[in-house]
């Protein structure tokens, strides 16, 4: 999306498209990123595509290997643990500040995005991607009440990086328990109780960490040239 009405360059646009595809699981962990395939998919020439991949490598979402080119950075337990630790530091503080400073419009947005997220948790047949999109929308809405731009932005980067891990364990989650934790979080947010907000977010992050990572899908993606591309 344009920032401050500045138009996106072709590099910016394809970078955003590939980032979203990685975060949503369309490009799987470990999947090879073949220039010709991606150029055709996104209707761009190789030059902006390569630059976009270099930028994403700087974010840790893409990695380059000699003689093998680029691939989506594989999942790892260490990376998941590091991201979870960062979220435990950033997300509760962001939300706690929002609970103290958010106004009526913020509360309405939190309630609306919360209702959508609860629906994805409680209704049968929802997909992991739908749940993840609702999850990110809720936290983006919550963070919008935080007065610190730097804190909001840093929390968003870490939250987005962690989305691949949430998707990877989504089907193994206790969705009923998550819904209970989420309701307690929303109640604390709307009542302006920062300590309870911090506690609820810590419980939620722990719930995702409790589910073991299944590395099978990313091994399969890495093994098939051009997989899913």
């Amino acid at each position: 999306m344009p920032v401050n009405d500045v138009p996106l360059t072709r590099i910016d646009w394809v970078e955003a498209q590939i980032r979203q595809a990685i975060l949503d699981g369309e490009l799987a962990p470990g999947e090879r990123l073949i220039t010709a395939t991606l150029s055709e998919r996104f209707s761009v020439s190789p030059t902006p595509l390569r630059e976009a991949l270099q930028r994403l490598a700087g974010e840790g979402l893409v990695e380059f290997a000699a003689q093998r080119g680029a691939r989506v950075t594989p999942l790892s337990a260490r990376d998941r643990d590091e991201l979870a630790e960062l979220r435990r530091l950033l997300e509760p503080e962001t939300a706690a500040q929002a609970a103290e400073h958010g106004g009526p419009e913020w509360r309405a947005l939190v309630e609306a995005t919360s209702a959508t997220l609860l629906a994805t948790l409680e209704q049968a047949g929802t997909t992991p991607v739908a749940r993840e999109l609702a999850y990110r929308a809720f936290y983006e809405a919550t963070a919008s009440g935080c007065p610190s731009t730097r804190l909001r932005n840093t929390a968003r980067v870490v939250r987005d990086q962690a989305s691949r891990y949430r998707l990877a364990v989504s089907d193994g989650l206790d969705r009923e328990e998550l819904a209970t934790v989420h309701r307690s979080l929303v109640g604390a947010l709307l009542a302006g109780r920062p300590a309870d907000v911090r506690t609820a977010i810590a419980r939620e992050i722990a719930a995702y960490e409790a589910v073991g990572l299944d590395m099978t899908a990313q091994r399969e993606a890495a093994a098939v040239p051009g997989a899913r591309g």
Side-chain angles (χ1 to χ4, degrees), residues 34-72:
I34 299 173
T35 301
T37 303
L38 294 176
S39 292
E40 181 178 356
R41 173 173 175 172
F42 295 110
S43 300
V44 294
S45 65
T47 299
L49 180 62
R50 292 191 188 98
E51 177 62 29
L53 292 176
Q54 290 288 350
R55 291 184 183 182
L56 292 169
E59 295 181 24
L61 293 175
V62 169
E63 64 181 25
F64 288 86
Q67 309 302 320
R68 299 192 64 183
R71 66 173 180 171
V72 179

Side-chain angles (χ1 to χ4, degrees), residues 2-143:
V3 178
N4 297 328
D5 297 325
V6 177
L8 290 176
T9 66
R10 200 63 175 162
I11 297 171
D12 294 333
W13 180 84
V14 73
E15 176 190 358
Q17 295 298 308
I18 297 173
R19 180 188 294 107
Q20 197 63 50
I22 292 172
L23 295 180
D24 291 348
E26 294 177 26
L27 294 172
E31 181 173 341
R32 289 180 61 196
L33 300 173
I34 299 173
T35 301
T37 303
L38 294 176
S39 292
E40 181 178 356
R41 173 173 175 172
F42 295 110
S43 300
V44 294
S45 65
T47 299
L49 180 62
R50 292 191 188 98
E51 177 62 29
L53 292 176
Q54 290 288 350
R55 291 184 183 182
L56 292 169
E59 295 181 24
L61 293 175
V62 169
E63 64 181 25
F64 288 86
Q67 309 302 320
R68 299 192 64 183
R71 66 173 180 171
V72 179
T73 301
L75 302 180
S76 73
R78 178 178 179 178
D79 187 43
R80 181 184 70 167
D81 292 346
E82 289 179 353
L83 288 168
E85 182 60 29
L86 285 171
R87 285 203 73 206
R88 279 192 290 268
L89 293 171
L90 296 167
E91 205 78 79
E93 183 60 28
T94 305
Q97 289 192 26
E100 292 184 276
H101 297 280
E105 291 184 1
W106 171 80
R107 285 192 289 273
L109 188 58
V110 167
E111 289 180 314
T113 53
S114 170
T116 300
L117 177 54
L118 283 171
T120 68
L121 290 172
E122 295 176 334
Q123 294 175 5
T126 59
T127 65
V129 170
R131 294 193 291 272
E132 174 59 22
L133 291 176
Y135 182 94
R136 294 210 301 262
F138 168 75
Y139 269 99
E140 187 68 16
T142 297

